[in-house]
Amino acid sequence: MPNGRGVVRRDKAMTRIAARTTEQVKSADPGHSVWVMANAGSGKTQVLVDRVVRLLLAGFAPETILCLTFTKAAAAEMSLRLFNLLASWIGLDDDELSRTLTALDAPATKSSDLAQARRLFAVAIETPGGLKIQTIHAFCEKLLQLFPVESGLAPGFAVMDDTGRTALLQEALTTALNGAARDGDTAMLLLDDGAITSADSFEDLAKLLLPATAMFHHVLAAGLEDRTIEDALRQAAGITPFTATAEIAAGIMAIDGAAYSAAAVDFADVSPHYKRDLGLLFKQIADADDVTQLTKILTGLLFTDKGEPGKQALFSKATLRDKAATCAWFDTESQRLVALLETHAVSRKVDATLALIRLMRRVNATFSALKAGRGLYDFDDLIMRTRSLLQDSRAAQWVLYKLDGRLSHILIDEAQDTSPAQWDIIKALADEFFAGEGRPQKAPRTTFVVGD
């Protein structure tokens, strides 16, 4: 090109081609399915672009190439790079373009190859609906619009943005909390009294869990009974000998009050050891009339601030000598109590988990009802509906058959961020065109995946 600005752009295009490694060039070969794993900044996006370009050079129509990215920004970046590269070819002379194509391992063997390469920019621009470089959510939305009856959706359905979804979730949460409080659900008590300590507050915990409502609904189906879930949790936690927290609490409360009263008298003249007034503590244990109070006293006596069994000796050497019988009795008693207290703490976390599940079911049911009443869907719905359409619906084979005739290559960006449900969708698409059915292909169909 005659002006300096054009020369700079052309030189940059040539530099990018020359900088490609042998592995990058091999990965872009459209004749093979490839999985690329590399660190961020290592050129994965450029390899994706090269792969699309190689497919176009091989004669595949743009509409037969599906490239799924994780974010809109990634899709825009890939589209921009692709269009810039193809646009740069228009201004290259034959020798420069020939060298560029050779560096991509797609050498031009005749003049018509050069002409085809220069036409690719126009082909990409003029493709009806544009190139299929999109997020998986956008792909699912378009697919569901193509098959609304088969997916059980009303034509022209609306998809919420993040702001709208957050507002509706908050409305569902408020409604569910009010319902739990009205019905006297113990979920409120368990979540309120510190049984769950992994979040600063229930509000923080809710914010972590609410975005996963669709996945929650899929994993914990409505037909799965609470008792089944509880049994599974208790088995996983290793507390199956006990069927309920109340049973463990009864074991803690079954202390020998007379023995503790006698020990309190025996330790009345003992000086505090590690700031523990044993006489006073044993009297408090003897007088405790509920499990919450007793558990707090015993936990402070027998455990560290980190929740581990105490490592400091309860008794001084003088106390062990002068009160040998009482010390020996409590040594045995403390072993029983430590085991019960640890099991009680775990069991309460199981109870809290079950309470949270009940509450999440309320939230999910309310959220689903609000969306249905307003004809709205969110991104999670798009994924789950599409997966169901391609895997579980009666129309699955028909839908896959129709898609099979339109796709020849699937490219996946940011594989490490792709969820299991999204992989199910991709797998359904790939399995169909690898099954050997559909329209005849002049070259192998492929999948191409890149990720960290």
Side-chain angles (χ1 to χ4, degrees):
M1 296 179 70
N3 59 66
R5 183 180 179 184
V7 171
V8 170
R9 185 179 68 180
R10 186 166 59 208
D11 288 346
K12 285 186 177 181
M14 293 295 292
T15 300
R16 288 197 299 270
I17 294 296
R20 285 164 174 77
T21 66
T22 301
E23 289 77 11
Q24 288 175 326
V25 172
K26 287 181 178 179
S27 298
D29 184 350
H32 305 284
S33 293
V34 177
W35 188 300
V36 176
M37 292 182 289
N39 296 327
S42 57
K44 297 190 299 294
T45 300
Q46 189 58 62
V47 176
L48 268 170
V49 171
D50 289 352
R51 179 84 173 196
V52 174
V53 170
R54 292 281 299 275
L55 289 168
L56 295 174
L57 287 171
F60 287 98
E63 58 268 23
T64 67
I65 304 168
L66 173 63
C67 185
L68 299 177
T69 64
F70 190 66
T71 64
K72 292 181 180 180
E77 171 67 15
M78 184 176 174
S79 296
L80 180 62
R81 290 197 190 190
L82 177 63
F83 283 120
N84 283 345
L85 181 61
L86 296 180
S88 72
W89 291 359
I90 298 174
L92 299 180
D93 60 34
D94 286 356
D95 288 340
E96 290 173 323
L97 182 55
S98 181
R99 288 195 296 272
T100 298
L101 296 177
T102 298
L104 283 172
D105 200 24
T109 58
K110 48 188 183 296
S111 59
S112 60
D113 293 336
L114 298 176
Q116 178 198 8
R118 292 191 177 99
R119 284 196 301 269
L120 288 183
F121 178 71
V123 170
I125 289 291
E126 296 170 0
T127 296
L131 292 173
K132 293 180 180 177
I133 301 174
Q134 55 196 164
T135 65
I136 192 165
H137 297 108
F139 169 75
C140 290
E141 181 178 357
K142 188 170 184 178
L143 181 62
L144 294 173
Q145 288 172 342
L146 289 173
F147 301 98
V149 176
E150 293 84 353
S151 61
L153 298 177
F157 61 87
V159 179
M160 292 183 288
D161 59 18
D162 288 339
T163 301
R165 185 177 190 270
T166 299
L168 200 64
L169 273 173
Q170 186 58 50
E171 182 179 345
L173 173 60
T174 301
T175 302
L177 287 172
N178 289 338
R182 182 185 62 248
D183 297 342
D185 193 332
T186 55
M188 301 308 300
L189 296 175
L190 288 167
L191 294 171
D192 244 3
D193 69 1
I196 293 179
T197 58
S198 58
D200 293 333
S201 67
F202 169 67
E203 294 296 331
D204 292 333
L205 187 59
K207 289 176 183 178
L208 291 174
L209 294 175
L210 286 178
T213 50
M215 183 59 70
F216 173 89
H217 178 70
H218 178 78
V219 174
L220 292 177
L224 195 58
E225 296 181 355
D226 287 353
R227 187 66 204 182
T228 302
I229 301 173
E230 182 176 3
D231 289 344
L233 288 173
R234 289 188 176 280
Q235 183 174 0
I239 56 173
T240 48
F242 301 94
T243 58
T245 302
E247 182 182 352
I248 307 169
I252 296 173
M253 290 298 295
I255 61 172
D256 187 341
Y260 277 93
S261 294
V265 172
D266 197 17
F267 286 138
D269 60 347
V270 174
S271 299
H273 184 59
Y274 288 113
K275 298 181 180 181
R276 295 188 180 103
D277 187 335
L278 296 177
L280 176 61
L281 285 171
F282 276 62
K283 184 178 186 306
Q284 290 174 341
I285 293 172
D287 294 343
D289 54 9
D290 68 75
V291 71
T292 301
Q293 180 186 14
L294 181 56
T295 298
K296 183 177 180 180
I297 297 169
L298 290 172
T299 299
L301 178 63
L302 300 173
F303 291 82
T304 67
D305 292 340
K306 295 181 179 180
E308 301 171 345
K311 297 178 181 179
Q312 292 178 335
L314 283 175
F315 311 116
S316 66
K317 292 181 179 179
T319 303
L320 287 171
R321 181 187 66 243
D322 299 338
K323 313 289 184 180
T326 304
C327 291
W329 163 78
F330 190 69
D331 183 57
T332 301
E333 172 73 351
S334 64
Q335 293 178 35
R336 180 185 77 87
L337 289 172
V338 165
L340 279 174
L341 289 168
E342 288 181 325
T343 304
H344 185 257
V346 173
S347 187
R348 289 185 70 247
K349 284 181 169 58
V350 170
D351 290 343
T353 301
L354 291 168
L356 186 60
I357 288 173
R358 290 198 304 275
L359 188 58
M360 282 298 296
R361 278 179 164 164
R362 282 181 180 268
V363 174
N364 187 70
T366 305
F367 186 52
S368 297
L370 289 173
K371 287 189 293 182
R374 302 173 191 181
L376 299 172
Y377 298 92
D378 60 15
F379 289 154
D380 285 345
D381 293 326
L382 299 180
I383 296 297
M384 304 310 290
R385 287 271 187 168
T386 302
R387 181 169 78 166
S388 179
L389 174 65
L390 298 181
Q391 284 192 333
D392 306 324
S393 70
R394 293 183 179 181
Q397 290 304 311
W398 162 251
V399 173
L400 287 168
Y401 173 77
K402 296 295 289 184
L403 290 175
D404 182 52
R406 302 181 183 186
L407 295 178
S408 296
H409 303 274
I410 301 176
L411 295 82
I412 311 298
D413 191 15
E414 301 295 347
Q416 75 280 355
D417 292 323
T418 304
S419 71
Q422 292 168 352
W423 277 118
D424 286 341
I425 294 170
I426 296 166
K427 184 175 184 299
L429 296 173
D431 284 350
E432 179 64 18
F433 72 55
F434 283 137
E437 300 184 12
R439 62 182 175 80
Q441 296 290 303
K442 66 179 181 180
R445 293 175 169 185
T446 65
T447 56
F448 180 80
V449 181
V450 298
D452 292 344

